[in-house]
Amino acid sequence: MMSLYCGTFFRRKSFGCYRLLSTYVTKARYLFELKEDDEACRKAQQTGMFYLFHDLDPLLQASGHRYLVPRLSRAELEGLLGKFGQDSQKIEDSVLIGCSNQQEAWFALDLGLKSASSVRASLPRAEMEAELGGSFVKLRQAVFQLNSADSSLLFTAQAPPLCLQAQALLRWHDGHQFCSRSGQPTQKNMAGSKRLCPANKIIYYPQMAPVVITLVSDGARCLLARQSAFPKGLYSALAGFCDIGESVEDAVQREVAEEVGLEVEDIQYSASQHWPFPNSSLMIACHATVKPGHTEIQVNLKELEAAAWFGLDEVTAALRRKGSFAQQQGEASPLLLPPKLAIAHHMIKKWVEKQSGSPLTA
C-alpha cells in the first residue's frame, strides 16, 4: 500500500507488524529502483516531467524581471519533438534527476547534444526557443547575473539544485561516450545513472572531483582572493583540488601555502556542495586560522590575481549589498562576493555572524 504523504508500509517479519517509512526514505528507495530497473524508469517517464537543455544550457522563460524554469509533460514533449521531425525515442536520451514526494519523476533532456551511439540528430536552437517561448541560457552566466530573488525562482529548493545537477550529469554523459579500455561506444542505462561498455562489460559511474574551499581568518579579518577569470571586483575563499592520497586537512594546508604563502591551523569542516563549473566537483568547505604573528600574504601569481585581508565592516557591507552583479559592479565599492547559490557566500556569511555574535539581516 502506497501513501502519498507518509511513505510505504513494509512488513517486519520478526515482529509481525508494519513499519512506516519516512517520505525521504520512500523517495530514496523509489529513485534507487528507477536507477537499477530500466523498465521501471521507462514507465516513470510516461508520467514524469522534463526539463530541457540545449548544448548544456537550461531553458529559461522570462516573467517580468525574473526567470522561470519551465518543464514539460511527456505528451507535451512528444508533441514538440514531432513538430521538428523527431520521434519519442529521443526521450530515451534523458537522464533522471529526482522526483517529488508523490513520486513524480523528473528528467533532463538535452536537445542539442548527440550521442555517439544514436542516429538522432540535435535540434535547432533558435527554432526551439521560438517554439518554447524561452531562451537557452548559459547557467554560469545566469548564476552571476540574477539577483537573489531571481535565483530563488531559477533554482528549486532541491539539494543540489536541479539545474546544476542536471547540467553536470548531461555533461558527464556527453564526455564519456566511449570506453577508455576498448574504445567502443558505451551505452547509458535508462535513468542515466551509469554507462556500460558492451564489449567488455565495464560499468562507468558519474564521478566528482573533491575540492577544498577554505576561508582563512586571523581572528579579526578574513582572507579573500580573486582569479583573473572572476567578474570584476569579485573576491572569494581559497579553493583547490585535492591531490591523490591527501586528506582534506592536508589539502587545505597545501592549498593555502601554495596560493598565499601562509600556514594554517585549527581546520574545521563546515559544509559541502556539488558545483558543476567547469566540471563536476564536490566543494568541501572549511574554516581555518593562521598561526599568530604570521599574516603577511605572498600571492602566487600563477594561481591568483590578488589576495587581501578584509575587515568585518567591509565584508558585512558587501553581503548586504542589493542587486545583480552587473548592478553592483557599477557601484563604488571594490568588493563583490560570490552569489548566494555558491557555498563560498555562506562561508563568508557564517564568519561574519560568528564575529558579530548575531545573525546577519539582509
Side-chain angles (χ1 to χ4, degrees), residues 49-88:
M49 301 299 292
F50 295 82
Y51 294 84
L52 300 184
F53 288 70
H54 197 287
D55 290 329
L56 302 178
D57 299 335
L59 175 69
L60 304 181
Q61 289 178 337
S63 177
H65 296 292
R66 298 176 177 177
Y67 288 93
L68 303 177
V69 182
R71 58 183 196 165
L72 279 68
S73 67
R74 170 85 184 216
E76 290 171 329
L77 183 53
E78 288 180 343
L80 176 70
L81 294 173
K83 290 183 179 180
F84 289 87
Q86 295 279 332
D87 59 35
S88 60

Side-chain angles (χ1 to χ4, degrees), residues 180-218:
S180 61
R181 178 166 296 181
S182 70
Q184 297 299 309
T186 55
Q187 298 175 351
K188 82 172 187 67
N189 66 337
M190 188 60 61
S193 60
K194 56 190 173 183
R195 298 188 72 91
L196 171 70
C197 176
N200 53 29
K201 307 305 180 184
I202 293 178
I203 299 176
Y204 294 92
Y205 294 94
Q207 296 179 334
M208 295 189 296
V211 173
V212 290
I213 179 166
T214 309
L215 188 64
V216 178
S217 174
D218 68 352

Side-chain angles (χ1 to χ4, degrees), residues 27 74 79 82 151 167 185 246 276:
K27 285 175 60 176
R74 170 85 184 216
S151 61
Q167 189 202 58
E246 281 187 324

Side-chain angles (χ1 to χ4, degrees), residues 49-326:
M49 301 299 292
F50 295 82
Y51 294 84
L52 300 184
F53 288 70
H54 197 287
D55 290 329
L56 302 178
D57 299 335
L59 175 69
L60 304 181
Q61 289 178 337
S63 177
H65 296 292
R66 298 176 177 177
Y67 288 93
L68 303 177
V69 182
R71 58 183 196 165
L72 279 68
S73 67
R74 170 85 184 216
E76 290 171 329
L77 183 53
E78 288 180 343
L80 176 70
L81 294 173
K83 290 183 179 180
F84 289 87
Q86 295 279 332
D87 59 35
S88 60
Q89 282 190 321
K90 178 76 174 178
I91 298 175
E92 295 189 2
D93 291 338
S94 65
V95 296
L96 176 71
I97 56 174
C99 73
S100 69
N101 289 343
Q102 292 73 37
Q103 298 188 359
E104 174 192 77
W106 300 328
F107 299 87
L109 176 63
D110 198 301
L111 302 172
L113 299 179
K114 185 178 183 299
S115 170
S117 58
S118 173
V119 297
R120 296 186 284 274
S122 62
L123 297 177
R125 186 182 186 110
E127 288 86 340
M128 296 295 295
E129 290 177 331
E131 180 67 27
L132 292 164
S135 301
F136 293 103
V137 179
K138 296 292 182 186
L139 189 53
R140 189 163 194 165
Q141 175 185 342
V143 167
F144 282 92
Q145 286 189 347
L146 299 179
N147 61 35
S148 59
D150 293 330
S151 61
S152 67
L153 288 171
L154 173 59
F155 302 108
T156 72
Q158 303 300 313
L162 288 181
C163 282
L164 301 184
Q165 177 188 357
Q167 189 202 58
L169 189 54
L170 290 168
R171 180 190 287 113
W172 181 81
H173 280 284
D174 186 48
H176 292 77
Q177 297 186 34
F178 295 90
C179 176
S180 61
R181 178 166 296 181
S182 70
Q184 297 299 309
T186 55
Q187 298 175 351
K188 82 172 187 67
N189 66 337
M190 188 60 61
S193 60
K194 56 190 173 183
R195 298 188 72 91
L196 171 70
C197 176
N200 53 29
K201 307 305 180 184
I202 293 178
I203 299 176
Y204 294 92
Y205 294 94
Q207 296 179 334
M208 295 189 296
V211 173
V212 290
I213 179 166
T214 309
L215 188 64
V216 178
S217 174
D218 68 352
R221 304 173 296 175
C222 71
L223 191 153
L224 300 174
R226 61 172 282 106
Q227 298 177 352
S228 59
F230 283 7
K232 181 181 177 182
L234 174 66
Y235 281 75
S236 185
L238 301 175
F241 289 97
C242 296
D243 284 345
I244 290 178
E246 281 187 324
S247 66
V248 170
E249 294 81 3
D250 290 339
V252 167
Q253 290 179 312
R254 176 184 54 77
E255 281 293 335
V256 175
E258 285 180 357
E259 295 190 347
V260 293
L262 296 174
E263 291 188 52
V264 293
E265 54 189 10
D266 190 25
I267 300 168
Q268 297 183 357
Y269 168 80
S270 178
S272 63
Q273 177 190 40
H274 167 255
W275 194 244
F277 310 120
N279 294 302
S280 296
S281 299
L282 176 63
M283 308 296 292
I284 305 168
C286 296
H287 292 261
T289 57
V290 294
K291 291 188 174 182
H294 296 80
T295 60
E296 183 180 352
I297 299 171
Q298 296 180 350
V299 178
N300 183 343
L301 295 177
K302 292 182 179 179
E303 293 284 333
L304 302 173
E305 182 180 83
W309 291 105
F310 293 88
L312 178 62
D313 291 343
E314 188 174 8
V315 176
T316 302
L319 283 172
R320 287 177 170 161
R321 196 163 294 123
K322 303 291 186 178
S324 66
F325 266 78

